[in-house]
Amino acid sequence: MIKVSNVIKSYGELNALDSLSLEVKENSIFGLLGVNGAGKTTLLSILNGLIEIDSGSIEIFGLDIKKDRRAVKEISSIIPQHLAFYEKLTVQENLDFFAKVQNASKEAFDKAIEINSLSSILNQTSSTLSGGQKRRLNIAIGLLNSPKIIYFDEPTVGVDPKNRNEILDSIKEYKNFGITVVYTSHYMTEIERICDEVAIISKGKLVEQDLLDNMLTNRVSDKVSIEISYSKNIDISDIILKDNTIIETTQDKLCFVLDKLNKNNISIKNIRYGSTNLEKYFLDISEG
Ligand SMILES: Nc1ncnc2c1ncn2[C@@H]1O[C@H](COP(=O)(O)OP(=O)(O)OP(=O)(O)O)[C@@H](O)[C@H]1O
């Protein structure tokens, strides 16, 4: 388990992490959500032992981040936002180089190639790879040290939907290899697709941590959205209508709205209670 307790990290006057506490379960896929500047990259860098904390404590699989920084680095890997390999080398040459630096085992080497479907492009010069293939090479390099935990810092930026899906599918597989994943992305649909649990952070503080299923289904919200068939010439002027087909209201006004629709012979296609996806949930939380 990763246990972050009351961590403070300041840059001058700014608390990038402000008494942050959260927990990541072993062998899970954990999503970290937050707007720009919330502190996600700072947290990932700290968890990887790349930067030090000012106060608080962090335990990673029984290791203390302050006392056992070297051991923490050995079991962790971070896949950065930027591409971190040599464009002029082939895929094979890049993998050989980084495998040597990290003293990778043959098993880890073969697994990195297999999981990221690189075997057919091993002899290709890295600069000529597609955006998705470059991302997969970036991820493969991160797997060479056989990490127990992998941190992904927005790994699909600039990747087309097909390749993005392939990358997400491969990340889901990591659980079968006993790897714990911490994943940050601006694309909430990605987090919704692969994560078991999600933490929302804002201004360096934890806003909420819960199982994704709970966030999507057990949300106590009085909001109701009603999808209707579009029709012209109806008097619904005091009902808020979005995109001509969605009425957003609250539960206390539901009877009034349904009555109005009935009187106007407007058919209802769907009614949704509470939050229906992570993006909406996130916005609800952010609005307070
Ligand atoms: N080395 C640094 N020196 C000064 N301020 C920093 C430094 N690194 C981060 N910050 C500040 O700390 C805050 C948190 O930054 P961080 O990069 O962790 O956020 P983030 O959630 O990863 O944002 P993004 O989604 O834009 O990458 C920001 O206000 C940022 O400007």
Side-chain angles (χ1 to χ4, degrees), residues 201-233:
I201 62 172
S202 171
K203 296 181 186 147
K205 287 182 193 289
L206 180 75
V207 178
E208 184 137 341
Q209 174 180 349
D210 206 343
L211 294 173
L212 179 70
D213 282 348
N214 288 346
M215 285 189 172
L216 297 186
T217 55
N218 291 347
R219 174 93 170 118
V220 181
S221 162
D222 71 341
K223 291 189 178 168
V224 183
S225 66
I226 305 168
E227 192 184 343
I228 56 166
S229 307
Y230 178 77
S231 39
K232 284 193 237 164
N233 306 325

Side-chain angles (χ1 to χ4, degrees), residues 9-12 14-17 34-43 51 81 153-154 184 186 201:
K9 173 70 192 175
S10 310
Y11 295 110
L14 176 89
N15 280 352
L17 298 185
V35 296
N36 289 342
K40 303 180 297 290
T41 304
T42 302
L43 178 62
I51 56 177
Q81 282 178 24
D153 196 358
E154 311 211 10
T184 78
H186 275 107
I201 62 172

Side-chain angles (χ1 to χ4, degrees), residues 45-280:
S45 305
I46 288 170
L47 291 171
N48 274 275
L50 301 175
I51 56 177
E52 290 184 31
I53 57 178
D54 298 338
S55 64
S57 64
I58 299 180
E59 196 189 298
I60 301 180
F61 292 3
L63 299 167
D64 182 307
I65 195 92
K66 287 181 189 153
K67 294 189 202 130
D68 311 309
R69 211 158 141 197
R70 198 191 163 115
V72 165
K73 278 188 178 174
E74 277 170 11
I75 60 163
S76 316
S77 184
I78 185 162
I79 312 296
Q81 282 178 24
H82 58 273
L83 297 170
F85 53 76
Y86 297 100
E87 295 264 339
K88 286 187 180 163
L89 299 183
T90 64
V91 172
Q92 176 84 46
E93 286 164 347
N94 262 307
L95 289 168
D96 286 343
F97 173 78
F98 286 102
K100 203 167 173 190
V101 171
Q102 305 197 38
N103 206 10
S105 67
K106 167 97 174 66
E107 195 194 347
F109 190 89
D110 292 345
K111 198 160 83 183
I113 292 174
E114 189 200 324
I115 292 181
N116 290 287
S117 314
L118 296 177
S119 52
S120 63
I121 51 169
L122 285 174
N123 294 323
Q124 203 169 324
T125 305
S126 303
S127 61
T128 67
L129 299 174
S130 70
Q133 289 168 333
K134 284 182 180 176
R135 284 282 154 193
R136 296 211 304 265
L137 173 57
N138 219 33
I139 294 172
I141 290 167
L143 286 172
L144 291 172
N145 67 334
S146 306
K148 284 172 95 174
I149 315 154
I150 304 186
Y151 301 91
F152 285 92
D153 196 358
E154 311 211 10
T156 60
V157 172
V159 177
D160 64 71
K162 181 174 171 285
N163 274 293
R164 189 183 293 174
N165 270 328
E166 282 174 17
I167 290 172
L168 294 177
D169 283 345
S170 67
I171 292 173
K172 276 188 113 171
E173 297 273 307
Y174 292 1
K175 280 212 279 188
N176 301 333
F177 301 107
I179 298 174
T180 303
V181 174
V182 178
Y183 192 90
T184 78
S185 173
H186 275 107
Y187 303 114
M188 287 192 219
T189 45
E190 289 191 354
I191 297 218
E192 213 172 297
R193 233 193 92 186
I194 63 169
C195 293
D196 304 307
E197 193 155 0
V198 177
I200 297 175
I201 62 172
S202 171
K203 296 181 186 147
K205 287 182 193 289
L206 180 75
V207 178
E208 184 137 341
Q209 174 180 349
D210 206 343
L211 294 173
L212 179 70
D213 282 348
N214 288 346
M215 285 189 172
L216 297 186
T217 55
N218 291 347
R219 174 93 170 118
V220 181
S221 162
D222 71 341
K223 291 189 178 168
V224 183
S225 66
I226 305 168
E227 192 184 343
I228 56 166
S229 307
Y230 178 77
S231 39
K232 284 193 237 164
N233 306 325
I234 48 164
D235 172 26
I236 52 169
S237 53
D238 50 354
I239 294 177
I240 302 166
L241 189 64
K242 282 188 175 174
D243 300 332
N244 291 324
T245 52
I246 303 285
I247 294 167
E248 300 226 316
T249 185
T250 47
Q251 290 189 20
D252 57 336
K253 300 198 187 93
L254 189 57
C255 285
F256 165 78
V257 175
L258 292 178
D259 186 47
K260 192 116 186 164
L261 293 175
N262 190 28
K263 283 185 178 141
N264 283 281
N265 278 328
I266 297 170
S267 59
I268 296 168
K269 286 179 154 179
N270 197 5
I271 299 184
R272 290 197 189 91
Y273 295 89
S275 295
T276 52
N277 61 43
L278 194 57
E279 183 150 14
K280 191 155 169 27

